[in-house]
Each structure stands twice: as structure tokens, then as C-alpha cells.
Amino acid sequence: MASFRNSPAIHHRSLVLNPSSQSPVFYPCFRRSARFIIKAEQTAAAATKLPSQDKSGRRQALAVGAIATCISLFNATSSSFAAEAKKGFQAVLDKKDGYSFLYPFGWQEVVIEGQDKVLKDVIEPLESVSVNIVQTGKESIRDLGSPQEVAEVLIKKVLAPPSQKTKLIEAAERNEDGETYYTFEFIAQAPNFTRHALGVISIGNGKFYTVTTGANERRWDKMKDRLHTVIDSFKIFNV
């Protein structure tokens, strides 16, 4: 039977939200390309003053080669990001904690104490995704029990307050790149709203990862495909 008694408490409580600003993305390699171009032009200009045209030619060839290499790397990186991205989604890549996932375009990052990362729709507050991480001595999510057992405990003790009625709809296991993930779907009913939610959990890097996303029940049919994309895209990697 799943138990979280020996694990640190996982806090999922909403506090003051502080929307963070988005910053433009700059590619250092592209800036270096610009410097190489300037250097190449300076070298070409200086060549008219050098007695040896061979020496000038070699310098220009080196500069052009450096430009081509950097542009090639830049294009390869861009292609890699494009391959991982999906239309209508943006990517999160956390190299420190070792995880990545996609989230719908337009969601904003907010700060909630106890959460590693939270992104949400500013108009529909129940449409969000949160990542929680705690240390664990377990090596696999299977050490805690079956998908159904673990999901039931997590939903009742962590993901919903005691005042809400919860129902586990389904739970399953998936394996990808040698990692095991438990995914589940549930409903949490409060007095004034019902949230239809999805979750995925996994263990790696000595950490227990919990990711949840969802929407108001009235918008579930419209959002469910996008929310499944969020959960299905979640991956952990060694750090």
C-alpha cells in the first residue's frame, strides 16, 4: 500500500501570486557570429596593407570558417528546439532539477511557496500546471505501490484539501527512456467549483516529482487535449 509518511510533506497551498515578466531570448553563438563578421571585415581591410597576400588569405579563410561553424551550430540548436516544441506550446527545461515539459502558449509563470514551478492562465485560474519536488530515498515510483494506490493516497492527502470530494477516474503506468511514470486523472469537487485534473509522478535523481494540471469542469472538453499534452510531455533526466 502506498505511503508517504517517510517522505517530507508536499505542500500544494496557494499563496500570493506574483506574475513574473518574460525576457527575450538571446543566442550567444549568434552574437559571436556578428563579431566574427566584423573581424573578417577588419582582416580584409588590413590585407591591402600586408606585403603577403597568402597570409591575408589564410586569415580570411579562418574567419569565414569560424562564421560557418557558429552559424551551423546555431541552426542545429534551433532545429533541435523546433523538433521538441509543438504548435501552441512552450517548453520548460530545468537543467538543475532534471525535468522538462510543455505548457500551453500564453500561460504565465507565478510564484507559489513550496512549488518548484507554476504556470497558469490569468483569465481561467483553474487552468494551470504545477511542479513539486521533494527528496526521497526511493529509487523507483514502483517502490510506493501500484499506480492506483499511489494516486489515491496522493490525491486525498496532498493534491486536494479535506473539504473537497475527490474521485480517481483512472491511473496507469508508462515507461519512456528507461524511466517509469504513473499518470492519473481525477476530479476534485469544492462547494463552488469542480476541477478536472491530470497528474504524473516519477522518481529520479533522488527526488519525487509531482506534476498536476487541470481546468474547471465546464471547460474540460475544450482543454483536455492540451492538458494531456502537458502530462504526456513531462520527462525527467539525470543531473
Side-chain angles (χ1 to χ4, degrees), residues 126 165 187-196 215-218:
L126 292 183
K165 295 177 61 177
I187 292 175
Q189 187 174 2
N192 56 341
F193 68 86
T194 298
R195 189 175 194 238
H196 202 137
N216 194 307
E217 181 65 55
R218 62 180 172 78

Side-chain angles (χ1 to χ4, degrees), residues 76-194:
T77 302
S78 298
S79 298
S80 176
F81 278 120
E84 294 177 3
K86 184 175 181 179
K87 186 177 180 180
F89 290 83
Q90 292 179 278
V92 169
L93 175 64
D94 191 320
K95 295 182 178 179
K96 178 183 176 182
D97 290 311
Y99 68 84
S100 64
F101 66 93
L102 300 176
Y103 66 93
F105 183 82
W107 284 13
Q108 302 294 314
E109 184 170 0
V110 297
V111 177
I112 297 182
E113 186 176 341
Q115 302 292 313
D116 191 71
K117 185 171 288 292
V118 178
L119 299 122
K120 66 182 300 182
D121 187 299
V122 295
I123 298 175
E124 295 286 345
L126 292 183
E127 294 173 14
S128 65
V129 58
S130 63
V131 182
N132 184 275
I133 302 172
V134 295
Q135 298 296 316
T136 180
K138 303 294 184 180
E139 295 184 357
S140 171
I141 195 67
R142 290 175 177 163
D143 295 339
L144 296 175
S146 69
Q148 292 77 11
E149 290 172 335
V150 178
E152 285 279 11
V153 172
L154 195 63
I155 292 167
K156 291 180 179 179
K157 295 186 178 296
V158 178
L159 300 181
S163 60
Q164 293 185 4
K165 295 177 61 177
T166 61
K167 178 183 178 182
L168 175 65
I169 298 175
E170 64 176 354
E173 175 182 323
R174 68 174 169 89
N175 296 277
E176 192 170 353
D177 299 327
E179 302 291 348
T180 300
Y181 303 85
Y182 284 177
T183 60
F184 52 94
E185 179 180 346
F186 69 100
I187 292 175
Q189 187 174 2
N192 56 341
F193 68 86
T194 298

Side-chain angles (χ1 to χ4, degrees), residues 30-46:
F30 187 75
R31 290 200 298 270
R32 288 198 294 271
S33 296
R35 290 199 291 270
F36 281 133
I37 292 171
I38 294 172
K39 181 63 177 178
E41 291 176 347
Q42 293 173 343
T43 301

Side-chain angles (χ1 to χ4, degrees), residues 5-83:
R5 293 178 183 174
N6 296 327
S7 299
I10 307 174
H11 298 288
H12 287 253
R13 299 292 179 263
S14 298
L15 298 180
V16 178
L17 306 182
N18 299 314
S20 61
S21 59
Q22 293 182 338
S23 301
V25 177
F26 298 99
Y27 294 91
C29 188
F30 187 75
R31 290 200 298 270
R32 288 198 294 271
S33 296
R35 290 199 291 270
F36 281 133
I37 292 171
I38 294 172
K39 181 63 177 178
E41 291 176 347
Q42 293 173 343
T43 301
T48 58
K49 301 179 181 180
L50 293 176
S52 172
Q53 293 299 318
D54 291 340
K55 187 178 295 184
S56 172
R58 285 196 297 272
R59 287 179 179 176
Q60 291 184 53
L62 288 172
V64 171
I67 296 171
T69 299
C70 194
I71 291 176
S72 176
L73 289 172
F74 174 76
N75 289 336
T77 302
S78 298
S79 298
S80 176
F81 278 120

Side-chain angles (χ1 to χ4, degrees), residues 215-227:
N216 194 307
E217 181 65 55
R218 62 180 172 78
R219 284 176 54 83
W220 172 250
D221 288 340
K222 181 178 181 179
M223 292 297 299
K224 62 182 179 181
D225 289 342
R226 275 178 276 183
L227 300 181

